[in-house]
PDB file of all heavy atoms in Angstrom:
ATOM      1  N   VAL A 745      -4.423   6.907  -4.412  1.00 91.00           N
ATOM      2  CA  VAL A 745      -3.322   6.406  -3.588  1.00 91.00           C
ATOM      3  C   VAL A 745      -2.499   5.482  -4.477  1.00 91.00           C
ATOM      4  O   VAL A 745      -3.010   4.491  -4.988  1.00 91.00           O
ATOM      5  CB  VAL A 745      -3.833   5.626  -2.358  1.00 91.00           C
ATOM      6  CG1 VAL A 745      -2.656   5.112  -1.535  1.00 91.00           C
ATOM      7  CG2 VAL A 745      -4.749   6.492  -1.517  1.00 91.00           C
ATOM      8  N   ILE A 746      -1.231   5.823  -4.688  1.00 89.00           N
ATOM      9  CA  ILE A 746      -0.392   5.034  -5.588  1.00 89.00           C
ATOM     10  C   ILE A 746       0.612   4.191  -4.801  1.00 89.00           C
ATOM     11  O   ILE A 746       0.904   4.476  -3.640  1.00 89.00           O
ATOM     12  CB  ILE A 746       0.361   5.932  -6.596  1.00 89.00           C
ATOM     13  CG1 ILE A 746       1.340   6.851  -5.859  1.00 89.00           C
ATOM     14  CG2 ILE A 746      -0.617   6.738  -7.427  1.00 89.00           C
ATOM     15  CD1 ILE A 746       2.242   7.636  -6.786  1.00 89.00           C
ATOM     16  N   MET A 747       1.107   3.145  -5.461  1.00 88.00           N
ATOM     17  CA  MET A 747       2.159   2.329  -4.851  1.00 88.00           C
ATOM     18  C   MET A 747       3.401   3.198  -4.690  1.00 88.00           C
ATOM     19  O   MET A 747       3.969   3.666  -5.668  1.00 88.00           O
ATOM     20  CB  MET A 747       2.460   1.117  -5.730  1.00 88.00           C
ATOM     21  CG  MET A 747       3.643   0.282  -5.248  1.00 88.00           C
ATOM     22  SD  MET A 747       3.395  -0.494  -3.623  1.00 88.00           S
ATOM     23  CE  MET A 747       2.193  -1.773  -4.039  1.00 88.00           C
ATOM     24  N   PRO A 748       3.837   3.429  -3.446  1.00 86.00           N
ATOM     25  CA  PRO A 748       4.980   4.333  -3.240  1.00 86.00           C
ATOM     26  C   PRO A 748       6.296   3.685  -3.639  1.00 86.00           C
ATOM     27  O   PRO A 748       6.427   2.465  -3.659  1.00 86.00           O
ATOM     28  CB  PRO A 748       4.931   4.595  -1.730  1.00 86.00           C
ATOM     29  CG  PRO A 748       4.296   3.365  -1.158  1.00 86.00           C
ATOM     30  CD  PRO A 748       3.298   2.902  -2.182  1.00 86.00           C
ATOM     31  N   LYS A 749       7.269   4.510  -3.941  1.00 79.00           N
ATOM     32  CA  LYS A 749       8.622   4.031  -4.232  1.00 79.00           C
ATOM     33  C   LYS A 749       9.345   3.888  -2.902  1.00 79.00           C
ATOM     34  O   LYS A 749       9.676   4.872  -2.256  1.00 79.00           O
ATOM     35  CB  LYS A 749       9.352   5.006  -5.150  1.00 79.00           C
ATOM     36  CG  LYS A 749      10.711   4.495  -5.647  1.00 79.00           C
ATOM     37  CD  LYS A 749      11.304   5.444  -6.665  1.00 79.00           C
ATOM     38  CE  LYS A 749      12.649   4.956  -7.185  1.00 79.00           C
ATOM     39  NZ  LYS A 749      12.536   3.651  -7.879  1.00 79.00           N
ATOM     40  N   MET A 750       9.623   2.646  -2.503  1.00 72.00           N
ATOM     41  CA  MET A 750      10.158   2.357  -1.186  1.00 72.00           C
ATOM     42  C   MET A 750      11.678   2.402  -1.138  1.00 72.00           C
ATOM     43  O   MET A 750      12.262   2.201  -0.084  1.00 72.00           O
ATOM     44  CB  MET A 750       9.675   0.979  -0.726  1.00 72.00           C
ATOM     45  CG  MET A 750       8.164   0.799  -0.785  1.00 72.00           C
ATOM     46  SD  MET A 750       7.301   1.900   0.337  1.00 72.00           S
ATOM     47  CE  MET A 750       7.798   1.225   1.898  1.00 72.00           C
ATOM     48  N   GLY A 751      12.312   2.622  -2.255  1.00 69.00           N
ATOM     49  CA  GLY A 751      13.767   2.682  -2.292  1.00 69.00           C
ATOM     50  C   GLY A 751      14.242   2.790  -3.726  1.00 69.00           C
ATOM     51  O   GLY A 751      13.473   2.579  -4.673  1.00 69.00           O
ATOM     52  N   GLU A 752      15.525   3.106  -3.889  1.00 63.00           N
ATOM     53  CA  GLU A 752      16.064   3.328  -5.226  1.00 63.00           C
ATOM     54  C   GLU A 752      15.955   2.090  -6.111  1.00 63.00           C
ATOM     55  O   GLU A 752      15.722   2.174  -7.300  1.00 63.00           O
ATOM     56  CB  GLU A 752      17.536   3.766  -5.124  1.00 63.00           C
ATOM     57  CG  GLU A 752      17.722   5.172  -4.589  1.00 63.00           C
ATOM     58  CD  GLU A 752      17.077   6.225  -5.475  1.00 63.00           C
ATOM     59  OE1 GLU A 752      17.095   6.060  -6.713  1.00 63.00           O
ATOM     60  OE2 GLU A 752      16.542   7.211  -4.938  1.00 63.00           O
ATOM     61  N   SER A 753      16.131   0.900  -5.509  1.00 63.00           N
ATOM     62  CA  SER A 753      16.137  -0.333  -6.301  1.00 63.00           C
ATOM     63  C   SER A 753      14.788  -1.039  -6.308  1.00 63.00           C
ATOM     64  O   SER A 753      14.656  -2.116  -6.869  1.00 63.00           O
ATOM     65  CB  SER A 753      17.211  -1.288  -5.762  1.00 63.00           C
ATOM     66  OG  SER A 753      16.939  -1.637  -4.416  1.00 63.00           O
ATOM     67  N   ILE A 754      13.781  -0.450  -5.683  1.00 75.00           N
ATOM     68  CA  ILE A 754      12.468  -1.093  -5.566  1.00 75.00           C
ATOM     69  C   ILE A 754      11.600  -0.683  -6.753  1.00 75.00           C
ATOM     70  O   ILE A 754      11.392   0.507  -7.009  1.00 75.00           O
ATOM     71  CB  ILE A 754      11.771  -0.708  -4.245  1.00 75.00           C
ATOM     72  CG1 ILE A 754      12.675  -1.001  -3.049  1.00 75.00           C
ATOM     73  CG2 ILE A 754      10.456  -1.447  -4.116  1.00 75.00           C
ATOM     74  CD1 ILE A 754      13.063  -2.447  -2.899  1.00 75.00           C
ATOM     75  N   THR A 755      11.087  -1.667  -7.495  1.00 80.00           N
ATOM     76  CA  THR A 755      10.250  -1.382  -8.668  1.00 80.00           C
ATOM     77  C   THR A 755       8.792  -1.759  -8.462  1.00 80.00           C
ATOM     78  O   THR A 755       7.941  -1.351  -9.242  1.00 80.00           O
ATOM     79  CB  THR A 755      10.785  -2.139  -9.899  1.00 80.00           C
ATOM     80  OG1 THR A 755      10.782  -3.548  -9.628  1.00 80.00           O
ATOM     81  CG2 THR A 755      12.201  -1.690 -10.237  1.00 80.00           C
ATOM     82  N   ASP A 756       8.503  -2.567  -7.452  1.00 83.00           N
ATOM     83  CA  ASP A 756       7.113  -2.940  -7.189  1.00 83.00           C
ATOM     84  C   ASP A 756       6.963  -3.326  -5.726  1.00 83.00           C
ATOM     85  O   ASP A 756       7.929  -3.387  -4.971  1.00 83.00           O
ATOM     86  CB  ASP A 756       6.656  -4.089  -8.104  1.00 83.00           C
ATOM     87  CG  ASP A 756       7.547  -5.318  -7.981  1.00 83.00           C
ATOM     88  OD1 ASP A 756       8.146  -5.530  -6.909  1.00 83.00           O
ATOM     89  OD2 ASP A 756       7.643  -6.090  -8.954  1.00 83.00           O
ATOM     90  N   GLY A 757       5.730  -3.567  -5.319  1.00 85.00           N
ATOM     91  CA  GLY A 757       5.450  -3.970  -3.945  1.00 85.00           C
ATOM     92  C   GLY A 757       4.279  -4.919  -3.912  1.00 85.00           C
ATOM     93  O   GLY A 757       3.446  -4.953  -4.817  1.00 85.00           O
ATOM     94  N   THR A 758       4.211  -5.708  -2.853  1.00 87.00           N
ATOM     95  CA  THR A 758       3.122  -6.675  -2.670  1.00 87.00           C
ATOM     96  C   THR A 758       2.180  -6.183  -1.581  1.00 87.00           C
ATOM     97  O   THR A 758       2.625  -5.794  -0.492  1.00 87.00           O
ATOM     98  CB  THR A 758       3.679  -8.055  -2.270  1.00 87.00           C
ATOM     99  OG1 THR A 758       4.598  -8.500  -3.274  1.00 87.00           O
ATOM    100  CG2 THR A 758       2.560  -9.070  -2.128  1.00 87.00           C
ATOM    101  N   ILE A 759       0.891  -6.182  -1.870  1.00 89.00           N
ATOM    102  CA  ILE A 759      -0.108  -5.798  -0.879  1.00 89.00           C
ATOM    103  C   ILE A 759      -0.202  -6.914   0.160  1.00 89.00           C
ATOM    104  O   ILE A 759      -0.582  -8.047  -0.155  1.00 89.00           O
ATOM    105  CB  ILE A 759      -1.488  -5.569  -1.523  1.00 89.00           C
ATOM    106  CG1 ILE A 759      -1.393  -4.534  -2.658  1.00 89.00           C
ATOM    107  CG2 ILE A 759      -2.498  -5.128  -0.467  1.00 89.00           C
ATOM    108  CD1 ILE A 759      -0.978  -3.163  -2.214  1.00 89.00           C
ATOM    109  N   LEU A 760       0.152  -6.610   1.412  1.00 85.00           N
ATOM    110  CA  LEU A 760       0.111  -7.612   2.476  1.00 85.00           C
ATOM    111  C   LEU A 760      -1.165  -7.532   3.307  1.00 85.00           C
ATOM    112  O   LEU A 760      -1.718  -8.565   3.702  1.00 85.00           O
ATOM    113  CB  LEU A 760       1.329  -7.451   3.398  1.00 85.00           C
ATOM    114  CG  LEU A 760       2.705  -7.620   2.745  1.00 85.00           C
ATOM    115  CD1 LEU A 760       3.798  -7.466   3.792  1.00 85.00           C
ATOM    116  CD2 LEU A 760       2.810  -8.975   2.055  1.00 85.00           C
ATOM    117  N   GLU A 761      -1.633  -6.306   3.557  1.00 87.00           N
ATOM    118  CA  GLU A 761      -2.812  -6.169   4.421  1.00 87.00           C
ATOM    119  C   GLU A 761      -3.479  -4.813   4.219  1.00 87.00           C
ATOM    120  O   GLU A 761      -2.806  -3.779   4.159  1.00 87.00           O
ATOM    121  CB  GLU A 761      -2.401  -6.309   5.895  1.00 87.00           C
ATOM    122  CG  GLU A 761      -3.547  -6.159   6.879  1.00 87.00           C
ATOM    123  CD  GLU A 761      -3.104  -6.160   8.330  1.00 87.00           C
ATOM    124  OE1 GLU A 761      -1.876  -6.201   8.565  1.00 87.00           O
ATOM    125  OE2 GLU A 761      -3.970  -6.106   9.207  1.00 87.00           O
ATOM    126  N   TRP A 762      -4.798  -4.836   4.066  1.00 90.00           N
ATOM    127  CA  TRP A 762      -5.597  -3.607   4.112  1.00 90.00           C
ATOM    128  C   TRP A 762      -6.199  -3.513   5.507  1.00 90.00           C
ATOM    129  O   TRP A 762      -6.947  -4.396   5.920  1.00 90.00           O
ATOM    130  CB  TRP A 762      -6.715  -3.634   3.071  1.00 90.00           C
ATOM    131  CG  TRP A 762      -6.243  -3.439   1.657  1.00 90.00           C
ATOM    132  CD1 TRP A 762      -6.099  -4.388   0.699  1.00 90.00           C
ATOM    133  CD2 TRP A 762      -5.857  -2.208   1.051  1.00 90.00           C
ATOM    134  NE1 TRP A 762      -5.638  -3.839  -0.465  1.00 90.00           N
ATOM    135  CE2 TRP A 762      -5.480  -2.490  -0.286  1.00 90.00           C
ATOM    136  CE3 TRP A 762      -5.775  -0.890   1.505  1.00 90.00           C
ATOM    137  CZ2 TRP A 762      -5.044  -1.513  -1.167  1.00 90.00           C
ATOM    138  CZ3 TRP A 762      -5.337   0.091   0.621  1.00 90.00           C
ATOM    139  CH2 TRP A 762      -4.984  -0.224  -0.692  1.00 90.00           C
ATOM    140  N   ARG A 763      -5.880  -2.454   6.224  1.00 89.00           N
ATOM    141  CA  ARG A 763      -6.390  -2.292   7.590  1.00 89.00           C
ATOM    142  C   ARG A 763      -7.698  -1.511   7.627  1.00 89.00           C
ATOM    143  O   ARG A 763      -8.261  -1.294   8.700  1.00 89.00           O
ATOM    144  CB  ARG A 763      -5.331  -1.613   8.460  1.00 89.00           C
ATOM    145  CG  ARG A 763      -4.059  -2.441   8.552  1.00 89.00           C
ATOM    146  CD  ARG A 763      -3.024  -1.833   9.450  1.00 89.00           C
ATOM    147  NE  ARG A 763      -1.837  -2.678   9.494  1.00 89.00           N
ATOM    148  CZ  ARG A 763      -0.727  -2.367  10.155  1.00 89.00           C
ATOM    149  NH1 ARG A 763      -0.661  -1.233  10.830  1.00 89.00           N
ATOM    150  NH2 ARG A 763       0.312  -3.188  10.135  1.00 89.00           N
ATOM    151  N   LYS A 764      -8.123  -1.068   6.462  1.00 90.00           N
ATOM    152  CA  LYS A 764      -9.419  -0.414   6.313  1.00 90.00           C
ATOM    153  C   LYS A 764     -10.151  -1.086   5.166  1.00 90.00           C
ATOM    154  O   LYS A 764      -9.541  -1.620   4.238  1.00 90.00           O
ATOM    155  CB  LYS A 764      -9.240   1.079   6.018  1.00 90.00           C
ATOM    156  CG  LYS A 764      -8.608   1.880   7.142  1.00 90.00           C
ATOM    157  CD  LYS A 764      -9.565   2.058   8.309  1.00 90.00           C
ATOM    158  CE  LYS A 764      -8.951   2.963   9.371  1.00 90.00           C
ATOM    159  NZ  LYS A 764      -9.889   3.215  10.501  1.00 90.00           N
ATOM    160  N   LYS A 765     -11.469  -1.054   5.231  1.00 89.00           N
ATOM    161  CA  LYS A 765     -12.276  -1.585   4.137  1.00 89.00           C
ATOM    162  C   LYS A 765     -13.012  -0.439   3.459  1.00 89.00           C
ATOM    163  O   LYS A 765     -13.080   0.680   3.997  1.00 89.00           O
ATOM    164  CB  LYS A 765     -13.266  -2.632   4.649  1.00 89.00           C
ATOM    165  CG  LYS A 765     -14.264  -2.139   5.667  1.00 89.00           C
ATOM    166  CD  LYS A 765     -15.156  -3.275   6.123  1.00 89.00           C
ATOM    167  CE  LYS A 765     -16.233  -2.790   7.096  1.00 89.00           C
ATOM    168  NZ  LYS A 765     -15.675  -2.316   8.367  1.00 89.00           N
ATOM    169  N   VAL A 766     -13.523  -0.723   2.273  1.00 90.00           N
ATOM    170  CA  VAL A 766     -14.239   0.290   1.516  1.00 90.00           C
ATOM    171  C   VAL A 766     -15.396   0.835   2.353  1.00 90.00           C
ATOM    172  O   VAL A 766     -16.172   0.075   2.934  1.00 90.00           O
ATOM    173  CB  VAL A 766     -14.764  -0.297   0.186  1.00 90.00           C
ATOM    174  CG1 VAL A 766     -15.680   0.708  -0.508  1.00 90.00           C
ATOM    175  CG2 VAL A 766     -13.601  -0.667  -0.720  1.00 90.00           C
ATOM    176  N   GLY A 767     -15.485   2.161   2.437  1.00 88.00           N
ATOM    177  CA  GLY A 767     -16.520   2.807   3.227  1.00 88.00           C
ATOM    178  C   GLY A 767     -16.020   3.322   4.561  1.00 88.00           C
ATOM    179  O   GLY A 767     -16.693   4.125   5.207  1.00 88.00           O
ATOM    180  N   ASP A 768     -14.815   2.883   4.992  1.00 90.00           N
ATOM    181  CA  ASP A 768     -14.256   3.341   6.265  1.00 90.00           C
ATOM    182  C   ASP A 768     -13.646   4.728   6.121  1.00 90.00           C
ATOM    183  O   ASP A 768     -13.123   5.096   5.062  1.00 90.00           O
ATOM    184  CB  ASP A 768     -13.183   2.374   6.770  1.00 90.00           C
ATOM    185  CG  ASP A 768     -13.765   1.073   7.297  1.00 90.00           C
ATOM    186  OD1 ASP A 768     -15.002   1.010   7.451  1.00 90.00           O
ATOM    187  OD2 ASP A 768     -12.988   0.136   7.547  1.00 90.00           O
ATOM    188  N   PHE A 769     -13.707   5.482   7.223  1.00 91.00           N
ATOM    189  CA  PHE A 769     -13.050   6.788   7.256  1.00 91.00           C
ATOM    190  C   PHE A 769     -11.580   6.601   7.617  1.00 91.00           C
ATOM    191  O   PHE A 769     -11.240   5.820   8.512  1.00 91.00           O
ATOM    192  CB  PHE A 769     -13.719   7.713   8.280  1.00 91.00           C
ATOM    193  CG  PHE A 769     -13.110   9.101   8.328  1.00 91.00           C
ATOM    194  CD1 PHE A 769     -13.449  10.047   7.377  1.00 91.00           C
ATOM    195  CD2 PHE A 769     -12.193   9.431   9.321  1.00 91.00           C
ATOM    196  CE1 PHE A 769     -12.881  11.319   7.416  1.00 91.00           C
ATOM    197  CE2 PHE A 769     -11.632  10.693   9.362  1.00 91.00           C
ATOM    198  CZ  PHE A 769     -11.982  11.637   8.404  1.00 91.00           C
TER     199      PHE A 769
END
């Protein structure tokens, strides 16, 4: 799962929240 390109001028993104934890389906 890669950081998606959210727009033409967007070069990076900040992780705000993981709604799943490791091991979750």
